[in-house]
Amino acid sequence: MTEQWVKPYGDTLGDGRVQLSFTLPVALDETTKEGAKRLAAMMGIDEPALAHAEDMGRGFSFFIVYGLCRHRVDLASLHVVKPEYEVLDKEAINRLIADKLGRRMVVLGACIETDAHTVGIDAIMNMKGYNGHKGLESYHGMRAINLGAQVDSEDLVARAIEEQADVILVSQVVTQKNIHLDNLTRLSDLLEAEGLRDKIILVVGGPRISHELAKELGYDAGFGTKTYAEDVASFVIHEWIKRGAA
Amino acid sequence: MTEQWVKPYGDTLGDGRVQLSFTLPVALDETTKEGAKRLAAMMGIDEPALAHAEDMGRGFSFFIVYGLCRHRVDLASLHVVKPEYEVLDKEAINRLIADKLGRRMVVLGACIETDAHTVGIDAIMNMKGYNGHKGLESYHGMRAINLGAQVDSEDLVARAIEEQADVILVSQVVTQKNIHLDNLTRLSDLLEAEGLRDKIILVVGGPRISHELAKELGYDAGFGTKTYAEDVASFVIHEWIKRGAA
Amino acid sequence: MTQLHLDQAQIDRARDSARRIAQRVYDEMSRFTTTTVERATLRLLGVDGVDENLVPLPNRVVSHLQERQLLQHGAASAVLGAMKEHGLSAMQVAEAVAAGTLSLNRPKNEAAARADADAQARSMCERIIRQRTQREARIKSVGEASLPWLYLIVATGNIHEDIVQAQAAAEQGADIIAVIRSTGQSLLDYVPYGATTEGFGGTYATQENFRLMRAALDEVGERLGRYIRLTNYCSGLCMPEIAAMGAIERLDMMLNDSMYGIIFRDINMQRTFIDQFFSRMVNAYAGVIINTGEDNYLTTADAYEAAHTVLASQLINEQFAYLSGLKPDQMGLGHAFEINPEMENGFLWELAHAQLVRQVFPDAALKYMPPTKHMSGNIFMGHLQDALFNIVSTATRQNIHLLGMLTEALHTPLIQDRFLAIQNAKYVFSTMKDLHAEIQFKPGGLIESRAQTVLAEAERMLAEIEEIGLPAAIGKGMFAEISRTPDGGKGLDGVVRKSDDYYNPFPKLMLGGR
Amino acid sequence: MTQLHLDQAQIDRARDSARRIAQRVYDEMSRFTTTTVERATLRLLGVDGVDENLVPLPNRVVSHLQERQLLQHGAASAVLGAMKEHGLSAMQVAEAVAAGTLSLNRPKNEAAARADADAQARSMCERIIRQRTQREARIKSVGEASLPWLYLIVATGNIHEDIVQAQAAAEQGADIIAVIRSTGQSLLDYVPYGATTEGFGGTYATQENFRLMRAALDEVGERLGRYIRLTNYCSGLCMPEIAAMGAIERLDMMLNDSMYGIIFRDINMQRTFIDQFFSRMVNAYAGVIINTGEDNYLTTADAYEAAHTVLASQLINEQFAYLSGLKPDQMGLGHAFEINPEMENGFLWELAHAQLVRQVFPDAALKYMPPTKHMSGNIFMGHLQDALFNIVSTATRQNIHLLGMLTEALHTPLIQDRFLAIQNAKYVFSTMKDLHAEIQFKPGGLIESRAQTVLAEAERMLAEIEEIGLPAAIGKGMFAEISRTPDGGKGLDGVVRKSDDYYNPFPKLMLGGR
Ligand code: B12
Ligand code: B12
Ligand SMILES: Cc1ncc(COP(=O)(O)O)c(C=O)c1O
Ligand SMILES: Cc1ncc(COP(=O)(O)O)c(C=O)c1O
């Protein structure tokens, strides 16, 4: 593959210009300013210029730096992990489900553990959908059950057994102190323990979720901001077919 | 000296949180996003999170990244180059000049070469001054001659000879493509060529000027934003005394 | 701003509906108490601490009473009776119960126990009044912030780190510090104990944390010459207990809504209404300003379409507040700038709405919330949304101004986010200082008509709620598009029908004989 | 916005003063021509190119005429005479002069030479009219931008890089692209030639650069369905030549002020007034919108204290513009949001000022400049200052809206700075779409009084200038606090007193016989 090196661009190809801001937990003086520049230099920023340095009181200082990033990256060399599937429309998805499953697909959705941010999962699951994209409830090929907020992983797994779920969709919005990692690991461990992990398509979504992260956590896919129901539905049916084929 | 390591601070000591923004000269897609994160990683940013990625049209993409900067710096180890002098008030400066020179000190100011930004040099030189700090014209110990904008270096040097200047103050505001470096070097070379460099205290100022840079260029001092007349005047008389002592 | 032309009779009709709606709920709910009301009562009588499993003693005692079928009489007389009989303090009684060395019964002498309870309660009331007086004295001596008060959150999860951030925020200009609570605390049926250093998206609300932060803010306030107010969350399954702790530790404000827990935390509605009444009574007595949570509706519903639900809910919250003894200047009725930034003329609608709320509640300490839902990772754009919010706030003279964070969509605030937020607000407030008095709305124009429409819709909505009752209205998802049923949700098991001889010393002391 | 109450008689008096001020300068100055006026004339007659030292041929020819004491008769007839006598084209004459193989003299037949010059000039005028017609046709076919027009600069120093940035800017929403000129070009007494790739803080204005950028913007405009306007600087020692080049290459707007060069570039005032008259005439004829530079005053003087100097100067610029045949809709009178962000109520004063200018010049294509002087390296704060500027612009219906850059204090714009600036303006303009019609100023309030004060001060200032004459006023530093004398400054050596038989074919063609 031909290489495709890129660098940040300000006003001339290859200039490497970047903007940076951060706080240092020290009062502002000439040394602190020098320290801020030095940090930028350590990041590989040439000619770091302190655009702004301001004392924030109580031994904190705020900095804005512009400079020239020395690093460049070869886009051609990057292997991006992304779910491989074609986004279909509702009709096509319903048809595929009818063809391949011959029954309605059971999809369970929840915001797990302490997370109560339901707007995201509602956007995917509920009739109304999001930005004019109807949710899974409106897919007649699916039985979409939205359990809502703060669902314990145990309860979710129990319900999955009860409903014979094909798919579990979980949402995680709160990520502070990486709490979502704990929550998500907990759920997949439980499914594993119940011997369900292979039977169920397990998907996670949320504004800070990437497919890469999801894969690392042992999920089948991860979806970030601006996801619509048809994206998930397309992935899910595609994954179902793939598993059948395997 | 005891070490004083610092790292950027977001909400926990040592967390290293920084904000970054830049443009990449490629259209937005998953690979570009990955490239943006990779660049942040190369800067030593752990867990780089793409807070925002937006296509700007015509093959450009804009990114905002937050992440954890791995680097830290020992403030105690930094040697900050700064002009060493005590800032005096106008009276004290006038008295010192009377004492040490026994005559008025001749100070020539100019914005050199193509630069026409006079507000800065006016703030230092003119009667009115800046932010309530009177300019050098108001110091009766000084003869302050402000040549204004776009003064050719040759003209400035000729005038310095004519007026028997003790001090030359130059202002450089335009720094695009580093034009100020050329201009400043040109002036000091000319002074050197005329054998005047040692006789004259040569000072540069401007919003993007640091003392460090000025020293590198062979100037006696450099002053940045928020400089007042008394800062320069204090330095100049201090430097005069130092040279006399040497 | 000049006043919008609004029909006062229409406002009065809407308010009358709200009064009847609230009164009906109150009448039905005053036949019940809850486990947390009783725990709060015990806390106010001096019970605190935890057992070896970190279960709070108020919980141990109340569970004990519940097991023994005694709770319906009220916890106070049983405990006071035991104190007298065994010559113990309230704490000692609780410890003994927890240790299993003491079983509580109905007091031998009910009248004496009640009198003792009254005496004990009176001394706590005096303590609370002393805090209230101290607040007033401090404001007088160190100085009062100017309006609007800048309200900032800290949410590191660690009380010690929170203190660093809170003091820095105050130095930068914050007038009010809210210590955001860890996710999930609202669903705990007990209040954690002691100083805490681990939380997610916030720090646990504990009495010790209250105390530490109060001291830190008193300290920085003195240094700055400005009394810094402290806020926490009086919501969730322990609403009354948090109110009690706050009253004791001199919190100044409390998030305390009549419906938030029901709608957003799926807490049982009966439980919430009962707890809410008691907690507000304590807040009222302690001179705390409550903050209601109507702003949250607009995080799930659309700010334009659901604007009237905010007003309707504020009117209901106001009436519930009156029932608990709160004065208008203690009512931080909540609303928010949640308009979609892509909506044409969105700013006009927000201006109309903020001014409408201002005029309907001229004496309330309105709490105005910044954009959150439509904030994105584009922090530069977000900073502008916050600026426009700041403009509406100063133009319509809001009282409690929550600062919007440019990183709202990303993380709980970093120290620099707060710093920039304060710069944003201060710039707007100063450069537009007298704008509110200089600009007038075009009579009959888009802004005025919009306000009139929202008012009319709120009136209609309240009429409908009056018809069907508040529980049914919530059941229909009339608020925030979320539906809850009277017997659904968490915490119903903590609702206890009062016996005829139920006794609690606080209402008559705090409400003056209601 | 509703209108401010202003005294129309006072406006009329101020305007009358300005008319007499301008007329007096015009009467005095029309006895002179300048080297660059003559070079522009030659360019319009077809002379272009450079010699082996890169000296433009128009300079070579004019110097030649000056040496031979012929310039006072006007360059046109000498060149046209030589063309006829030697059977050469204008370019061939110029090349021969440059090569030293031809010496110019007064034409043998002055009448015939004038007639030839007229014919040649007429064909150039037709060419310019064709460009003007093409502009109109393109606007009709690809579409016109909505008001206010978003104006963005590119300033990489390299025309090819500028094109990339300009096209990207247009895609992001720019309606006007200004190619900022290299520092120092305004003091060059010639116009550089060809495509250029090195400049500092901007790209050299050359005819080839004009052509390249024009083509690039036509291309992107077609793609976007919006005619993208192109702007450059018609200032400095070559003002008339730039006007000529712009007319030929279909520039749409030109920075072109009657006093900017005098004050900010220390260009001789006689030179400037003469050049200004000719250049504006060409601009007028080419359908170019001029942009005046009053905004610059506030970069050295204080925006509050010197507000009236902006208005006074606008009235003078307007009268000079009328003298050169410009129509009100070609008058992009300049003003700026340069208030100190720390000034209490600063926003109100800016609002008052912008509205005042709007009302005094209801038909002008007002150019409104963003904050620059008080921008700092705090880009987050700067972004807010720009937002408030955007608000005033939409609220007072400005026409040409220069986008403020959050990095104004740091560098010429990076591509992302422009991107964010457009998002800022678009957000404000959309969310406040009808605000201008909804908000009224309090009669007799702070805003109205402020506008009245500024108007009164401008009237007084103009009366004083009328008294002493414009050159003396400039000498007193009445504009921008910078003082210049009639015989000081650069370029006086290029001022030539016309002989009685001075001839130039363009004024009568372009002004229709003035
Ligand atoms: C609305 C909101 C709330 C509402 C939630 C109401 C509700 N019923 O959901 C309320 C007010 C209750 C709330 C409370 C809290 N919140 Co909140 N909240 C928000 C807010 C403003 C918007 C979130 C939202 O609705 N976005 C719109 C939806 C549509 O977007 P989305 O969730 O990203 O979903 C899309 C995709 O991500 C994806 N997706 C999401 N889930 C899934 C699942 C699957 C399977 C798939 C395929 C896709 C998918 O598809 C969706 C549609 O495209 C954000 C800030 C912001 N602007 O983002 C803060 C925010 C998320 N909240 C935050 C916090 C900290 C809290 C609290 C913990 C604060 C506290 N301590 O009290 C509480 C507690 C809540 C709890 N226990 O979880 C933080 C989280 C910080 C972090 N990164 O950890 C944020 C970022 C605010 C902040 N800056 O502090 N919040
Ligand atoms: C005002 C201004 C102008 C005015 C200048 C009027 C005048 N008579 O000075 C006008 C409108 C003419 C102008 C024109 C241009 N400008 Co200009 N201008 C500015 C602006 C808005 C403010 C500068 C200013 O006056 N600051 C206030 C003074 C008091 O601050 P200061 O200069 O920093 O001075 C202080 C210190 O630095 C120090 N100091 C300065 N000099 C000295 C000297 C000594 C000896 C000492 C001790 C101290 C000292 O003390 C001063 C007081 O504390 C800046 C943007 C900004 N906000 O900074 C752009 C800016 C400087 N301009 C810029 C440019 C590119 C131009 C042009 C080249 C654009 C063009 N191509 O047309 C032209 C050409 C000018 C030229 N040939 O030099 C760029 C420079 C970019 C760069 N880094 O290279 C800037 C940053 C704007 C931008 N973002 O593009 N400009
Ligand atoms: C009234 C009210 N209570 C409580 C909260 C916080 O929620 P919780 O404490 O349930 O996590 C909010 C959220 O902003 C609120 O508005
Ligand atoms: C009217 C006018 N002309 C010219 C310029 C640019 O200056 P110059 O071309 O002299 O560098 C400006 C600056 O903004 C201006 O306002």
Side-chain angles (χ1 to χ4, degrees), chain B:
Chain B
M1 219 191 294
T2 52
E3 296 177 357
Q4 190 191 358
W5 291 96
V6 293
K7 252 185 121 163
Y9 173 106
D11 69 358
T12 307
L13 196 66
D15 60 16
R17 295 181 80 156
V18 296
Q19 173 271 329
L20 201 64
S21 77
F22 55 84
T23 300
L24 289 182
V26 274
L28 189 69
D29 61 22
E30 290 307 314
T31 308
T32 323
K33 287 188 199 168
E34 183 58 31
K37 282 206 257 180
R38 207 59 75 90
L39 275 169
M42 291 169 87
M43 295 184 210
I45 312 287
D46 287 334
E47 300 181 28
L50 272 196
H52 189 64
E54 192 170 351
D55 200 282
M56 299 166 82
R58 282 203 85 75
F60 289 98
S61 313
F62 178 57
F63 299 93
I64 301 174
V65 177
Y66 277 82
L68 314 177
C69 173
R70 210 182 298 141
H71 307 290
R72 49 181 207 146
V73 60
D74 176 11
L75 293 181
S77 75
L78 298 181
H79 175 65
V80 180
V81 209
K82 57 186 165 197
E84 297 292 342
Y85 63 91
E86 186 193 351
V87 179
L88 307 170
D89 66 10
K90 195 200 291 191
E91 288 323 302
I93 293 167
N94 282 333
R95 245 179 289 123
L96 266 179
I97 296 178
D99 268 18
K100 305 287 173 176
L101 275 79
R103 59 167 173 87
R104 287 168 89 196
M105 184 178 237
V106 181
V107 181
L108 222 55
C111 232
I112 60 168
E113 302 296 341
T114 49
D115 205 326
H117 290 87
T118 52
V119 181
I121 189 77
D122 290 351
I124 304 294
M125 302 283 295
N126 294 5
M127 192 64 78
K128 186 178 166 190
Y130 192 56
N131 267 353
H133 299 244
K134 292 278 174 209
L136 300 182
E137 247 180 26
S138 74
Y139 287 57
H140 58 73
M142 294 198 174
R143 207 159 82 76
I145 308 165
N146 185 356
L147 303 179
Q150 296 185 318
V151 179
D152 284 339
S153 294
E154 285 86 352
D155 296 348
L156 179 57
V157 172
R159 189 70 183 268
I161 296 170
E162 186 187 324
E163 305 280 358
Q164 300 194 305
D166 301 299
V167 180
I168 294 181
L169 301 182
V170 293
S171 182
Q172 285 284 275
V173 175
V174 179
T175 58
Q176 222 207 12
K177 315 269 175 207
N178 282 330
I179 189 175
H180 61 306
L181 302 183
D182 299 346
N183 294 343
L184 291 170
T185 309
R186 188 148 186 275
L187 175 63
S188 76
D189 287 353
L190 273 173
L191 282 171
E192 199 77 62
E194 294 287 341
L196 284 175
R197 184 59 197 86
D198 296 339
K199 304 204 182 78
I200 281 178
I201 298 178
L202 185 59
V203 173
V204 56
R208 305 277 130 231
I209 303 294
S210 68
H211 184 63
E212 197 182 347
L213 175 75
K215 291 301 259 186
E216 278 170 26
L217 293 169
Y219 282 60
D220 296 310
F223 290 87
T225 44
K226 290 179 203 144
T227 306
Y228 297 122
E230 60 268 29
D231 299 317
V232 196
S234 301
F235 166 76
V236 160
I237 184 65
H238 175 93
E239 176 74 12
W240 174 274
I241 295 167
K242 209 182 75 185
R243 288 193 185 184

Side-chain angles (χ1 to χ4, degrees), chain D residues 60-62 64-65 92-104:
Chain D
R60 292 297 307 270
V61 175
V62 165
H64 175 84
L65 291 171
Q92 288 167 329
V93 168
E95 281 162 359
V97 168
T101 57
L102 176 67
S103 277
L104 296 179

